Amino acid sequence: MEEKHMALKTPQQFLETLRDNRVVYCDGERVPDVTKHPILKITNDWVAMDYVMSNDPKYRDLLTDVDADGDRVAFALQPQRTRDDLLRLREVVKLWARATFGKPSGAKFVAKDGLNAVTVVSRRVDKKYGTRYAANVEAYRKLLQKNDLAFAMGLTDVKGDRGLRPSQQVQHKDFYMRIVEEKPEGIIVSGAKAHISQVAACNEVLIAPCHAMREDDKAYAVAFGIPVNTKGITMISTEPEVHPGFDLLDHPITGSVYINDALITFENVFVPNERIFLKGEWEFAGDMAVMFANFHRLSAETYKAVELELVVGATALMAEYNGIEKKAHVRDKLTWLTMYAEMIETLGQAAVEHCIKEEDSDLVYPNPMIANICKYQFADNWHTATKYLQDIAGGIVATAPSAKDFFNPETRPLIEKYLAGRAGVSTEARLRMIKLVKDIGSSYEDVLTIHAEGSLEAQKLSIFQLADFDRYKAAAMRAAQIKNKKQHPLFANLPEFPPKL
Amino acid sequence: MEEKHMALKTPQQFLETLRDNRVVYCDGERVPDVTKHPILKITNDWVAMDYVMSNDPKYRDLLTDVDADGDRVAFALQPQRTRDDLLRLREVVKLWARATFGKPSGAKFVAKDGLNAVTVVSRRVDKKYGTRYAANVEAYRKLLQKNDLAFAMGLTDVKGDRGLRPSQQVQHKDFYMRIVEEKPEGIIVSGAKAHISQVAACNEVLIAPCHAMREDDKAYAVAFGIPVNTKGITMISTEPEVHPGFDLLDHPITGSVYINDALITFENVFVPNERIFLKGEWEFAGDMAVMFANFHRLSAETYKAVELELVVGATALMAEYNGIEKKAHVRDKLTWLTMYAEMIETLGQAAVEHCIKEEDSDLVYPNPMIANICKYQFADNWHTATKYLQDIAGGIVATAPSAKDFFNPETRPLIEKYLAGRAGVSTEARLRMIKLVKDIGSSYEDVLTIHAEGSLEAQKLSIFQLADFDRYKAAAMRAAQIKNKKQHPLFANLPEFPPKL
Amino acid sequence: MEEKHMALKTPQQFLETLRDNRVVYCDGERVPDVTKHPILKITNDWVAMDYVMSNDPKYRDLLTDVDADGDRVAFALQPQRTRDDLLRLREVVKLWARATFGKPSGAKFVAKDGLNAVTVVSRRVDKKYGTRYAANVEAYRKLLQKNDLAFAMGLTDVKGDRGLRPSQQVQHKDFYMRIVEEKPEGIIVSGAKAHISQVAACNEVLIAPCHAMREDDKAYAVAFGIPVNTKGITMISTEPEVHPGFDLLDHPITGSVYINDALITFENVFVPNERIFLKGEWEFAGDMAVMFANFHRLSAETYKAVELELVVGATALMAEYNGIEKKAHVRDKLTWLTMYAEMIETLGQAAVEHCIKEEDSDLVYPNPMIANICKYQFADNWHTATKYLQDIAGGIVATAPSAKDFFNPETRPLIEKYLAGRAGVSTEARLRMIKLVKDIGSSYEDVLTIHAEGSLEAQKLSIFQLADFDRYKAAAMRAAQIKNKKQHPLFANLPEFPPKL
Amino acid sequence: MEEKHMALKTPQQFLETLRDNRVVYCDGERVPDVTKHPILKITNDWVAMDYVMSNDPKYRDLLTDVDADGDRVAFALQPQRTRDDLLRLREVVKLWARATFGKPSGAKFVAKDGLNAVTVVSRRVDKKYGTRYAANVEAYRKLLQKNDLAFAMGLTDVKGDRGLRPSQQVQHKDFYMRIVEEKPEGIIVSGAKAHISQVAACNEVLIAPCHAMREDDKAYAVAFGIPVNTKGITMISTEPEVHPGFDLLDHPITGSVYINDALITFENVFVPNERIFLKGEWEFAGDMAVMFANFHRLSAETYKAVELELVVGATALMAEYNGIEKKAHVRDKLTWLTMYAEMIETLGQAAVEHCIKEEDSDLVYPNPMIANICKYQFADNWHTATKYLQDIAGGIVATAPSAKDFFNPETRPLIEKYLAGRAGVSTEARLRMIKLVKDIGSSYEDVLTIHAEGSLEAQKLSIFQLADFDRYKAAAMRAAQIKNKKQHPLFANLPEFPPKL
C-alpha cells in the first residue's frame, strides 16, 4: 500500500493537544497547563518519545504501517493477527524500552492491549445479545489511528475492602466504576481507577472492568473510551519522586521517566452511546480483564527483559568502577543476573512464538502459561537482583552527596578526589552510575515490579488453572504401575515397561 | 527413499549381542553372562526398550529413517542438520522418556551426542594437521547405524586430585585416559572413565577427553570408539539400589531403571588406527568436551521436562490420596511445581528453536545460553521440588512397610485397613504412589540431577562466558547519561532522551 | 542422695527383655525372636546404646540420678523442673546423638516427652473431673524408672482422609485410636499409630491423641501406656534400607541406625484401668498433642544440631579429598553450611535458656516461639544443605561400586587406583565418605527432616499463633504517626518524635 | 554511688554546641548554621533524642549511671564489663530504637563501639611498644562522659580501587586516612571517611583504620579523636531524601530520621599528641577494625530486631486495611515475617548471652559467630521481607498522591472517598501506612541493610574463619568409620558404635 497521507503527529503537535483544560492535580496544586509544569513535563516528554521515533526515518518501517486508506498509522494500533505480527510487536516494544531506559514510552503502550480486549469481548457480547459494541470499538480504533492519539488504560478500580465485591462495599458504592444512570443518548458513570499510567499525558482513556462480576454487580460491568478532558473527570498525580530544580545526575530514571500512575476519578461523567463497549452484560466483565491480561503480557514481558539489560549492565559497571569485577562472589552474582535477564527474554520470546489464536476474533496473543511464568519469574526475582546490585555497588549508593555538591566548585575538588574509583574511570561516571543504582532500587521500582501487570498471586492462580494435571498424573501413575482409568493420549499406547523379554 | 533392508535389531537380537565375554563386575562378583544376572537384567531390559519401540509400527516413523542405501536406521544416529531435525529429536527423546519413567532408554541416548562431537572436531583436526580422523568417524557412524548398535559415552575421567592437571597427578599417571604407547597399527591406552551410563549393556563405548588440555597433557588428548569386550577393559557396576528378589511395588523406578553408571577401566588396551578420532592433538581436547556438551544439552533438557511431569503428577496424586488437595499451601506448592516443569519444557524447547549452526560441519545444536540456563534451573530447583513432594506425601514415605508385608496375607488386612487414604482410593494405589515418591527423592536422583550433564558451577561458568556484557553496559550507560566509547549497535542510533522539545 | 540400688539394666539384660513373644513383622515375615533377626538387630543394638552409656562410668553422672529411694535411675525419666535441668537434658541428648551418628538412641528419647505431656494433662483432667489419672501417670513413671524400661511414643494416628475428623471417616472408624468398649476393669481399644520410632525394640508404648478432638470424637480421646507384647498388638516394620549381608562401608548410617518407625496396630486390645491416662475427656485431647510437642522440641532441636555437625564435616572432608577445598564456591557453601549448623544450635540453646514454666505442673519446656523457628529453619534448609553436599562430593556418590567390589581382590586394585582422590588420602577413606554422603541424602533422611516432630506447616501455624502482633502494629503505627487506641506498654510512654525542640 | 553532679546535657544545650563554625555542605550549599537548616535539623533533632530521653526520669536509670566521681553520665559511654552490662546495653538500644522508628538516635550509638575498640587495641600497642595510647583513650573517654558529647565513628575509608591496598593506589595517596607529616606536638593527616552517620550533628569524630595494613601501608595506621570543627575538616552531606517543605505524612521515616551518613574529608588536619591512639603501628590496624566490629555487633543486631517489629506491623496493618488479612498467602507471609523478626531478636540476644571476655581489657562483647550469623540473616532476608510487605500493601504504594493533595480541600474529598480501604479504617490512616511502606522499601533502606555494619561477604568470611571444622570433621569421620588421627575431645572417648553385643 502506498502512503498517501500522514496520520502521525509530530511530537510538538502531540504536546499541543494536551492543552485542553483537563483537570490535573499534582503535589497539592491544580495544574493550569500540563505542558508548562516542571514535573508533569517529564511525563509529557517521555510519552512524546513515541512521536519522536515514529517520525524518525530510521524507525518508521518498524513502528508504522500504511493502512488500507493509504494513511500512515501506528503499527501498535493495528490488530495483530499473526505470530509474525507479535514478533514485530516485540521489536517495537524493545525499541521503545531501549530508547527510554527500560520503560517504554506510553502513548499507546498499555491501552493498545485494552483495545484488543474490547475488540474480542465486544464481538462475544454482540453475538449473545445482538448489541452493536463491536462497531463502536472499530470506530474507536479508527479514531485513535487516524488522529494518532495517546490513550491510557483505566482498568484497576480502587476496590475499597478487597474482601467484598463491588455491590457489597460499605462506605459507598463507587469503589468500582459504575453506571449511575442510563439515558437515551448515553450513560452517567461514577467511580475511580487507580495506577493509570501516564493518563494525564494522554488524550483518551479506555475504561474496562478489572475482574469478573456477578449479577448483583451488573451496574459495574461497564467499558468505554473517553477524552480525559471530559467534564467530571479529575486526575490526581502520583507523588513525584523528584522536585523542581532536580538534577538528572541525581535522578537518571526518576527524573526522566515519571510514569505518573495517577488516580483518575469520575463524578457523574456522561458517556455517549457510540463510545460504550459494555453496559451491564455482567457475564462478560471477567472476559475483559482476562483478555486485557492476555494481550498485555507481550508488552509487559518484552520491556522487562530490556529493563534487566540495564540492571545487569549497572552491576557489571559498578564492579569495574570499584575494582572488584574479578572477585568470585561478584562473578557469581553477575552470572545470576545474566541468567535472570536472559531467562526473562527467552520466556517472553517463547510465549510469543507459541502464541494462541483467539477464537472470537482474528487476533493472536502470547501463550498464557509461558507468559505467566515469565512475569512471575521476573517479579519474584527482582528483589534478589537489586540486592546483588546494591551489594556490589556499595554503601555509597545510600550516602553519596547530591549533584549540586558535585557541581559546586567549592566541594567538587573534594568529591572528584575522594569518590574516585579505579584509575581510568571518571568520578563523574562513577557518581552517575551510583545514582542510577539508587534509582533502580527505589521503592517505586520494587512495587511496580510486583504489582504492574498483575500481582504474584494472580500469576500463581493462572498457572494453577492452566496446569495440565491429567498429563502429570498419567506420568506418575504409569511409573507407579497404577491403572489409570482416565487414559491420557501421550501415555495410553506406550509399550509395557519393564518389558517382558 | 524406499526401505530395502532392515538394519534395526529386535530386542531379542540385541540382548543376544551382550553375551560376548565382556568383563563385568556387580556387587562383588564377576558376572559370567550379563543377560542372566538378576540386577544387570534391569539395565539390559531398559536399554532394550529402544529396540522395542523402534520395531513398533506406531513409533517407527518417528524413531527411524530409511538411509541413502535404503536401509532403515535409527534417526538418533543420523546427523541432525536443521532446526526441524532437532525438534524431531526432542520428540524422540520425549517418547523414550515417557515410556521409561522419565529416564530415556540409553542404547544411543548419550553417545549419539559424542558421535556428533567427534564428527565436528575430527574435521577441525584434519583441516589443521591433514589427519584422516573424519573418515574414521564416518565409518564408525556407518558401523553403528548398519548394525543398530548400542553404545555408551566415556567422557568423564576419574580425575584424582581435582586441583591438578592430568600430567601433574601424583599417585600415578592414569587418572585421565592416556596413550601409553604408539604402535604402527594403533595405540595402547590406560585409564578409567567414571559414571558411564549403561555401558555394561552396550556394544561399544566412545571415549573422548573431558576437558581442555595443555601441551604437557598431550598424551591425554585421545578419542576413539571400541567394543566393550575388548581385552583389558573391565566394567565395575554401580552399587545396585535393589537386591535380587525385590518387588517392583517397593522400587518402581530403581527397580525398572538401573542406569548402572559404571566405572570402566582400561589397562593397556589396544585401539586400532581406524578407530582413533584424536591422538595427541591437545589443542582440540577442549573442543571435544565443549561440543559434546553443546549437542548433549538437547537430550538432557528434553528428558528432564518429562521427568518433571512425573514429579508434579506424584505430588498432585498424593495430595488427593491424602485428602488435602484443596489446602492453600498444597495448591501453592503444586503451582510452583507446575511452573518449574513448564519452565524447563519451555526453555528446552526455546534452546532448540533458537539453535546454532555449527561452522565446521553441517550439524546444528541448541542455543548454549538458553540450554545452560535450562539445565541450571532444573538442577538448582530439584531439591526444592522434592521437599514439596515429600511435604505433601507425608512421613509415611519414610516409614511404610515393604511390598512383601503388603502381599503377606497375615499383614495385608491390617495394611489395607490402616494405610488407606481418602475413600475411593485403593490402599494399594496409595502405597504404590508412596513408594514412587520415595524413589523420586533418593540420593541417587538428587546426585544425578546435579551432576549429570555438568555441575551447577559448570553451567554458571558457561553463562558468564556467554553473557553479552557489552549490550548490558550500553543500556546502563545510556540511562546514566555516560558517554560510551564502545558504541553498541542497539543503542548507538537511539534518539536523545530526555528529548529537547 | 547416696546410691543404694542399681535400677539400671545392662545392655544384655535389656536385649533379653525383647524376647517376649511380641508380634513383629519385617519385610514380609513374622519375626519369632527380634534379637536374632539380622535387620531388627540393628535397631536393638542402637537402642541398647542407651544402656551401654548409662553403665559407663564416664557418662553415669550426666545420664543418671540417684532418686529419693536411693535407686540409680535414668535422668531422662526424671521430671525436668528448672532451666538447668533442661540444659543438662540438652547435654544428654547431644551425647546420645554424637555417639550414634546424629540419631540419639531411642530407649527413652521420644517417649519421655510424652510422659511429661501426660503428667501435665492428667492433672488438668483430674482437677476438672475428679479423675485419678495423675496417680496412674506417676505410677507409670515409677515403673519405667525402677525397671529402666525402653518405651516408645505412639502419637500419630494413621488418619485416613486428612480432610475428615476421626468420627467422620468413611471406610471404617479406626483411623484414629479409639475406645471400642468400656469395661469395669478397663477399656478395649482399636486403631493404629504410624511412624512409631523403635517401638519393636521397646518394652512399652505410650499412646496419646495426635490432635484436638470435638465432642463427636469423644471415643478417640484416649491415652494409656501398655507393654508392646500385649495381645492384639501387631507391629509391622518399615521397609528396611539394607538387606542381610550388607556391608557397613556401603551403609554407614542406614546400616547402623534402623529407627524402624513401625506401624503399630491395635485390634481390640484390653487396657487395664491403672494404665489409663485419658478416657473420653475430649477437651483435653489437644492439650496432649500440644504438650508433647512443647516438651519434645528440646529433644528434636538438640539432636538436629549434632546431626548437622556431621553434614558440615562430610562436606569439608569431601572437598579436601577431591582437592577443591580452596575454590570460592566450595568455601561459600561451607560457610552457608556452618551458618546453618550453628544457627540451629544457637536457636535450640536459646529456646532452652528462655524456657517456660508450665502452670499445672512443676515442669519446664523450651520457649515455643524460638523452638518452632529452630525446627522450621532446620527442616526448611535441609534440602539446600544436601544439594551443597552432593554438589561438592561429586557424581561418584551416585555411581560408586559396592563395598563388596572394594573388598573383592579381583577388583580392589582397580578401585584403589582409579577412585583415589588427592594424594595422602586413602581410597578407602574417600569411598567411606562417599557412602556417608549417599546415606545423608537419602529419601529417608529428607522425609524424616520434614515430618519428624511436626511438618513445616505445623511450625508455621504455631509461629503465627504465637506472634505478638500488638507489639508489631504499635511500632508501625508510631512510625506512621497513627493514633493507636490499643496502647502497647513498650510504646505507650515513649517521648514524642520528631521532638519539638 | 550518690549523684553529686549532672554531667548530662539538655537537648537545648546539646543543639547549642552545634553552632561552632563547622564546615558542612548540604545539597550544593555551605550551611552557615546547622541548627537553622531545614534538612540538617532533622538529623539534629533525631540525635537530640538521646538527650531528651537521658533527661527523662522514666528512662534515667536505664540510660545513665553515676560514676566514681558522683557524676551522672551516659551508661553507653561506660565500659561494659559483664554479661549483664551487655544485656542492659541491649535494653538501651531497644529503647532508643523504639523511640525513633527503628533507627537509634546516634549521639553515642556507633562511636561508643569505636571507643571500646581503641580501648582494647591501645593497650596491646602500649604493651608491645611502650607507647601511652591507653592513657590517651582513657582521657578521651572521660572528656566525652563529663561533657556528654555526641561523637561519630569514622571508620570506612573511601578506598578508591578496591583491588589495591592503600599505598598502591594510583590517582593519589589519600584514599585511606594517612599521616602526611609528623611534628613534635602532633601529626598532620589527610584523607576521607565515607558513610559517617550523623557526623555533622556531632561534636567529635573518632577515626580508626577500616582494615588490616601491611608494613608499606604504615602511614595509614592511624587512629585519633578530634572535634568536627577542626580546621581542614569538611563534611559533605548525603543527598537528602526530602526537600524543604515536605510533609511528614509523605515521609514518615525519611522525614524524621536523616542519618546523613556524610563524607568527611581531612585536608592537612592537625591532630595533637594527646588525641592520638595509633600512629604507624601497622600490625594493629586490623585489630581496630575487628574490635570495632566485635563491639558494634551488639548495637547493630539489637536495633535491627526492633526495626523488624515495625516491618511486620506495617504488613499486618496493610493486610487489615485492605481487607485481606485472612487470605492464606497473606498469613503465610506474616508468618515468615514474624519468624524473621523473632529469629533476629533471638540470635542477637543469644550472642550477648554467650558473650566473650576480651583478653587485653576487662571488656565483653557478643559472641562473634552468633553475631555474624544474626547480621547475615538480617541482611540476606531483608529484600524478601520488603517484597512481601509491598505485595500485601498493593500498587498504591507506588502511585499514591502526595500529602499536599490529601490536605488540599479541592482534592481531599476525592481521595477520602476513593483511597478508603475497609470500613472502620480512616483513609488518612491507610494513606499514612502506605507512605510508611514506601519509606521502608526505599533504596536507602535496602543499601543500609546490606552495607551498614559490614557487607554480606564480610559476614561470610567471619563465619568461615570461626567455623569449628575439626569438630565437624570428627563427627563425619566417626559416622563413616574412618580413623581420625586428630582426635577431637567430644568424640575421642565415645563408645564403639555399632556396639558388639
Side-chain angles (χ1 to χ4, degrees), chain B residues 212-245:
Chain B
M213 302 285 170
R214 300 197 197 160
E215 191 159 7
D216 291 353
D217 305 321
K218 206 176 151 162
Y220 299 91
V222 60
F224 55 86
I226 201 164
V228 298
N229 68 344
T230 302
K231 189 162 176 291
I233 292 178
T234 303
M235 290 170 280
I236 307 176
S237 300
T238 294
E239 182 201 349
E241 298 278 310
V242 296
H243 288 72

Side-chain angles (χ1 to χ4, degrees), chain D residues 441-463:
Chain D
S442 74
S443 207
Y444 178 81
E445 290 286 344
D446 281 3
V447 175
L448 190 75
T449 300
I450 295 179
H451 288 284
E453 302 104 31
S455 72
L456 289 164
E457 296 303 318
Q459 271 95 51
K460 289 203 283 189
L461 185 61
S462 296
I463 292 165

Side-chain angles (χ1 to χ4, degrees), chain A residues 59 98-99 256 309 313 320 331-332 335 342 353-354 432 460 464 471-473 478-480 493 497, chain B residues 59 98-99 252 256 309 313 320 331-332 335 342 353-354 432 460 464 471-473 478-480 493 497:
Chain A
Y59 305 117
R98 289 207 174 98
S256 56
E309 285 178 354
E320 284 179 21
R331 287 176 61 132
D332 210 54
T335 301
E342 296 300 332
E353 290 175 342
H354 297 266
R432 286 189 180 279
K460 290 205 282 191
F464 184 80
R471 172 164 54 95
Y472 306 150
K473 288 181 193 171
R478 176 173 168 86
N493 298 311
F497 181 72
Chain B
Y59 306 116
R98 288 208 175 96
S256 55
E309 285 177 355
E320 284 180 22
R331 287 177 60 133
D332 210 54
T335 301
E342 296 300 332
E353 289 175 344
H354 297 266
R432 285 189 179 279
K460 289 205 283 190
F464 184 80
R471 172 164 54 94
Y472 306 151
K473 289 181 193 172
R478 175 173 168 86
N493 299 311
F497 181 71

Side-chain angles (χ1 to χ4, degrees), chain A residues 239-451:
Chain A
E239 182 200 349
E241 298 277 311
V242 294
H243 287 73
F246 75 91
D247 193 294
L248 206 56
L249 187 154
D250 280 335
H251 306 281
I253 294 181
T254 46
S256 56
V257 184
Y258 172 43
I259 298 184
N260 192 7
D261 315 89
L263 177 70
I264 177 168
T265 66
F266 289 67
E267 295 284 296
N268 295 313
V269 171
F270 174 71
V271 184
N273 285 332
E274 66 274 17
R275 285 298 199 92
I276 298 173
F277 313 138
L278 191 74
K279 192 179 74 179
E281 297 85 358
W282 60 271
E283 324 90 281
F284 294 95
D287 288 21
M288 289 275 184
V290 167
M291 272 296 146
F292 171 73
N294 281 343
F295 288 107
H296 192 49
R297 278 186 203 109
L298 183 148
S299 310
E301 264 104 67
T302 305
Y303 86 82
K304 284 166 195 321
V306 172
E307 197 164 26
L308 292 181
E309 285 178 354
L310 191 155
V311 175
V312 188
T315 314
L317 288 165
M318 282 304 316
E320 284 179 21
Y321 292 177
N322 289 340
I324 57 171
E325 78 279 11
K326 298 223 169 94
K327 288 201 173 188
H329 82 91
V330 172
R331 287 176 61 132
D332 210 54
K333 283 162 189 157
L334 281 170
T335 301
W336 185 93
L337 286 163
T338 298
M339 178 152 40
Y340 173 35
E342 296 300 332
M343 194 168 84
I344 298 307
E345 166 67 15
T346 301
L347 291 170
Q349 179 80 2
V352 160
E353 290 175 342
H354 297 266
C355 60
I356 304 288
K357 190 91 188 166
E358 202 284 319
E359 288 183 5
D360 297 305
S361 69
D362 47 359
L363 301 174
V364 288
Y365 57 82
N367 182 295
M369 172 60 94
I370 302 175
N372 272 291
I373 292 175
C374 182
K375 171 62 188 15
Y376 184 87
Q377 292 292 331
F378 171 74
D380 196 46
N381 285 303
W382 174 262
H383 288 69
T384 300
T386 59
K387 180 169 72 172
Y388 289 167
L389 169 55
Q390 293 162 344
D391 182 67
I392 286 169
I396 195 69
V397 172
T399 70
S402 81
K404 286 174 187 154
D405 295 308
F406 184 69
F407 292 124
N408 179 350
E410 292 171 57
T411 38
R412 181 157 183 164
L414 290 170
I415 296 174
E416 286 275 11
K417 177 178 180 187
Y418 287 119
L419 292 192
R422 77 132 47 106
V425 176
S426 76
T427 300
E428 182 173 336
R430 186 166 178 257
L431 193 56
R432 286 189 180 279
M433 199 49 66
I434 285 166
K435 299 287 184 167
L436 178 66
V437 172
K438 190 176 180 190
D439 261 8
I440 291 172
S442 74
S443 209
Y444 178 81
E445 290 286 343
D446 280 3
V447 175
L448 190 77
T449 300
I450 295 179
H451 288 285

Side-chain angles (χ1 to χ4, degrees), chain C residues 138-168:
Chain C
E138 279 319 298
Y140 193 54
R141 187 187 288 270
K142 267 268 124 91
L143 174 88
L144 294 163
Q145 282 190 321
K146 300 295 187 181
N147 296 284
D148 199 18
L149 297 180
F151 70 134
M153 184 69 208
L155 194 82
T156 309
D157 292 285
V158 291
K159 292 182 182 166
D161 187 333
R162 274 75 178 152
L164 303 174
R165 282 184 298 111
S167 58
Q168 295 174 318

